[in-house]
């Protein structure tokens, strides 16, 4: 019996675990969180279940099917609160894991190997900086969404949702469901970009028609709750004494540069901002997987990466939403377990439809370069290390350095607690860094998560093969 290790229990990882077991493998499914479901199906913890959960999620029945299938399958071992902090590929692929509550002392260290591994760690949301974004009350839309779905907490009473992409719609819905008044959803993309992304070759959208129903649900919710949806608008400043009290919204041009004289101020106590997603590439980079020029993990039609025995699925291969994650996970799990290639023919066709969706999202909502013109000299770019835009620019100019590594060392941007997860791609854009080599970018983090020195010191040194 072959063994498969699956990292990440979001839609991609869940689908991979089930498919690998169906194909006859022994599976270990790991997630750093305390439950299954990932970002899309984030829900109240098992100790505080809600009967309303199904009403708050799309595709909840599919999640329940996957969860009960996994729970009743002796061939699948689930380990939650399992933080994979490194991947080694010296002799075999080994995942270094700490098991226990996040940040707790004395977590159990395990080194797990398997015949094949499926990487499905997802993405985190990307937020472009703007003056005042370091004030309390400014949240990434993903954080606001996680609190609303995972704890039923609204991050404010009067909230503004802004940025770019379809993700803004479920965030606004979750916020109103958690009790906030959403003053508006401000989407930076303008109608011509939306038309280019969403209306070209419309027949190709048939494969994802149910997404249209999801969209209609969000729009109905917005109408009922009178949440305005404005195109070609961006948050260009948050102001307040010690915390957010007001938000400045401006019209933007096609390149997202603010149009002077169009500023409008709203009184708000929360601003939730997202400009798309950044794939979590630290584990694939550590494993040696090739990263494409689009900065996603390169996979073949079987979801195989460039490294033998390492497969990838979900948001790390492209931002295609839950359907892409599910179908990629299924293909990856099946093939990682040695399942027949032909059995996945229809899944591969479905995957093609989700790839089309990912392209449309990028064409319609992808970040445009004009956003840098809403920065000021004192706008904090790296929030952990409080590095302002002017310092970053002047150091890059004075040292004539455009590599992330040297700018990091001279300014400390990206060296703080988030290890450049929040600011890395922003800093690279601002200094004009060459990001063509994935391994030399802000995505490279030899340690995928903070780890106590004591835990490091006590690590087992020789992983046992087949111990997954
Ligand atoms: C904060 C956030 C909220 C989102 N909410 C929505 C939403 O409401 N609606 C929507 O349509 N889309 C949402 N998305 C997009 C959504 O994530 C995807 O469409 C879909 O969930 C991707 O599935 P996935 O399996 O690739 O990744 P995810 O669902 O992100 O699952 C990845 C899993 O891997 C685990 N993981 C990551 N790194 C490690 C590690 N080193 N060790 C162990 N475990 C690890 C994570 O804990 C996570 O559970 C959200 C994204 C984010 C970042």
């Amino acid at each position: 019996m072959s063994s498969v290790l699956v990292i990440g229990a979001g839609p991609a990882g869940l689908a991979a675990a089930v498919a690998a077991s169906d194909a006859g493998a022994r599976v270990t499914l790991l997630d750093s969180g305390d439950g299954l479901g990932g970002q899309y199906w984030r829900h109240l913890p098992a100790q505080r279940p809600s009967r309303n959960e199904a009403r708050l999620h799309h595709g909840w029945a599919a999640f329940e099917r996957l969860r009960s299938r996994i729970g009743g399958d002796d061939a699948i071992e689930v380990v939650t609160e399992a933080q994979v902090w490194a991947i080694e590929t010296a002799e075999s692929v080994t995942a270094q894991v700490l098991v226990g509550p996040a940040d707790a002392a004395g977590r159990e260290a395990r080194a797990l190997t398997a015949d094949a591994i499926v990487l499905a760690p997802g993405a985190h949301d990307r937020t472009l900086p703007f003056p005042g974004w370091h004030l309390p009350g400014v949240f990434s839309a993903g954080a606001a969404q996680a609190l609303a779905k995972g704890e039923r907490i609204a991050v404010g009473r009067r909230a503004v949702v802004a940025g770019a992409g379809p993700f803004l719609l479920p965030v606004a819905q979750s916020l109103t469901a958690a009790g906030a008044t959403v003053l508006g959803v401000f989407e930076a993309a303008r109608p011509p970009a939306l038309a280019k992304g969403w209306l070209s070759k419309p027949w190709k959208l048939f494969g994802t028609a149910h997404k249209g129903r999801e969209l209609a649900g969000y729009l109905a919710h917005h109408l009922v709750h009178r949440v305005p949806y404005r195109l070609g608008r961006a948050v260009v400043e948050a102001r307040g004494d010690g915390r957010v009290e007001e938000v400045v919204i401006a019209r933007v041009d096609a390149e997202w540069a603010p149009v002077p004289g169009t500023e409008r101020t709203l009184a708000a106590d929360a601003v939730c901002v997202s400009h798309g997603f950044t794939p979590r590439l630290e584990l694939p980079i550590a494993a040696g997987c090739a990263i494409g020029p689009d900065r996603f993990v390169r996979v073949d039609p079987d979801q195989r990466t460039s490294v033998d025995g390492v497969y990838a699925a979900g948001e790390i291969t492209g931002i295609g939403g839950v359907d892409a994650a599910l179908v990629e996970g299924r293909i990856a799990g099946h093939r990682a377990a040695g399942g027949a290639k032909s059995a996945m023919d229809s899944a591969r066709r479905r995957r093609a439809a989700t790839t089309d969706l990912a392209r449309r999202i990028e064409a319609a909502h992808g970040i445009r370069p004009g956003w840098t013109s809403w920065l000021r000299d004192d706008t904090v770019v790296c929030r952990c290390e409080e590095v302002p835009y002017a310092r970053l620019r002047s150091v890059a100019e004075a040292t004539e350095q455009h590599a992330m590594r040297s700018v990091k060392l001279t300014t400390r941007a990206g060296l703080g607690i988030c290890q450049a997860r929040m600011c890395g791609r922003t800093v690279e854009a601002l200094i004009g860094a060459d990001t063509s080599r994935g391994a030399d970018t802000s995505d490279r983090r030899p340690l995928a998560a903070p780890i106590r020195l004591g835990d490091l010191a006590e690590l087992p040194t020789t992983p046992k093969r087949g111990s997954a």
Side-chain angles (χ1 to χ4, degrees):
M1 195 184 215
S2 65
S3 59
V4 175
L5 186 61
V6 180
I7 300 176
L14 295 174
V18 168
S21 166
D22 282 346
R26 188 161 44 86
V27 180
T28 304
L29 173 62
L30 305 173
D31 199 289
S32 53
D34 55 7
L36 306 182
Q39 304 293 3
Y40 191 73
W41 288 313
R42 188 182 283 278
H43 55 281
L44 286 178
Q47 314 85 285
R48 292 182 279 126
S50 159
R51 271 194 248 128
N52 288 335
E53 210 69 69
R55 284 204 282 129
L56 296 173
H57 296 266
H58 292 274
W60 185 251
F63 171 58
E64 286 191 313
R65 274 196 301 277
L66 285 166
R67 183 169 59 179
S68 67
R69 168 72 174 69
I70 287 170
D73 188 336
D74 290 340
I76 304 178
E77 182 196 5
V78 177
V79 190
T80 53
E81 296 189 324
Q83 176 70 59
V84 179
W85 60 271
I87 295 264
E88 290 155 9
T89 49
E91 286 170 18
S92 57
V93 182
T94 303
Q96 296 288 356
V97 190
L98 283 171
V99 184
D103 298 335
R107 287 189 284 176
E108 180 198 352
R110 293 197 202 167
L112 301 178
T113 66
D115 298 318
I117 188 165
V118 178
L119 299 173
H124 49 87
D125 59 338
R126 178 160 178 203
T127 301
L128 297 175
F130 51 87
W133 79 309
H134 56 288
L135 284 173
V138 179
F139 293 83
S140 77
Q145 177 75 335
L147 281 168
K149 278 165 94 168
E151 296 293 339
R152 307 290 194 266
I153 291 174
V155 292
R157 280 199 294 267
R158 289 170 56 81
V160 165
V161 176
F167 179 51
L168 303 181
L169 297 172
V171 173
Q173 186 179 40
S174 303
L175 282 169
T176 50
T181 299
V182 177
L183 303 175
V185 175
F186 299 96
E187 159 72 60
R190 295 167 78 240
L194 293 186
K196 188 173 157 218
W198 292 108
L199 299 184
S200 77
K201 302 187 182 163
W203 61 91
K204 288 196 166 184
L205 283 166
F206 282 134
T208 49
H210 60 289
K211 282 284 166 197
R213 286 195 292 281
E214 193 174 320
L215 179 67
Y218 294 135
L219 296 180
H221 183 89
H222 279 46
L223 283 175
V224 169
H225 292 271
R226 298 181 179 197
V227 179
Y229 181 68
R230 300 272 181 263
L231 297 175
R233 306 286 200 289
V235 167
V236 293
E237 187 177 0
R239 297 181 190 142
D241 185 8
R243 60 158 299 115
V244 170
E245 289 165 349
E246 55 183 39
V247 183
V248 183
I249 312 281
R251 227 180 254 266
V252 292
D253 66 17
E255 294 303 311
W256 292 16
V259 179
T262 62
E263 296 82 2
R264 185 180 146 217
T265 303
L266 291 175
D269 62 358
V271 194
C272 309
V273 191
S274 163
H275 297 93
F277 294 96
T278 308
R280 295 189 193 213
L281 293 181
E282 48 273 83
L283 294 179
I285 288 176
C289 302
I291 308 296
D294 55 359
R295 303 185 78 180
F296 290 101
V297 180
R298 269 203 187 145
V299 286
D300 71 6
D302 288 330
Q303 301 299 133
R304 235 185 334 222
T305 70
S306 59
V307 178
D308 252 8
V310 180
Y311 294 73
E315 307 276 72
I316 57 168
T317 69
I319 305 298
V322 64
D323 293 335
L326 284 168
V327 72
E328 290 183 6
R330 185 159 162 242
I331 299 170
H334 178 83
R335 295 294 286 150
K341 191 177 175 101
S342 57
M344 289 292 114
D345 286 348
S346 72
R348 274 190 287 271
R349 278 194 295 278
R350 254 204 325 285
R351 181 179 187 261
T354 62
T355 308
D356 176 62
L357 195 71
R359 269 192 230 109
R360 288 174 189 274
I361 294 174
E362 179 56 28
H365 308 276
I367 292 173
R368 306 288 194 269
W371 68 269
T372 55
S373 55
W374 68 56
L375 299 180
R376 296 185 194 138
D377 280 355
D378 62 351
T379 304
V380 171
V381 172
C382 166
R383 296 206 293 195
C384 301
E385 295 289 324
E386 300 183 352
V387 182
Y389 177 41
R391 181 158 12 122
L392 196 68
R393 224 181 34 221
S394 62
V395 166
E397 277 163 18
T399 58
E400 294 183 10
Q401 283 296 336
H402 299 281
M404 182 68 193
R405 191 176 148 73
S406 64
V407 172
K408 210 155 110 171
L409 294 174
T410 40
T411 65
R412 295 199 57 78
L415 276 180
I417 186 77
C418 89
Q419 289 288 288
R421 280 180 182 82
M422 283 299 285
C423 70
R425 294 200 173 196
T426 293
V427 172
E428 285 165 348
L430 293 175
I431 63 175
D434 173 8
T435 55
S436 57
R437 285 166 49 88
D440 292 337
T441 64
S442 62
D443 298 323
R444 184 175 174 275
R445 284 173 208 102
L447 301 190
I451 170 169
R452 287 168 187 260
L453 286 175
D455 290 338
L456 256 186
E458 284 177 17
L459 283 179
T461 47
T462 322
K464 293 185 195 73
R465 211 179 155 75
S467 58

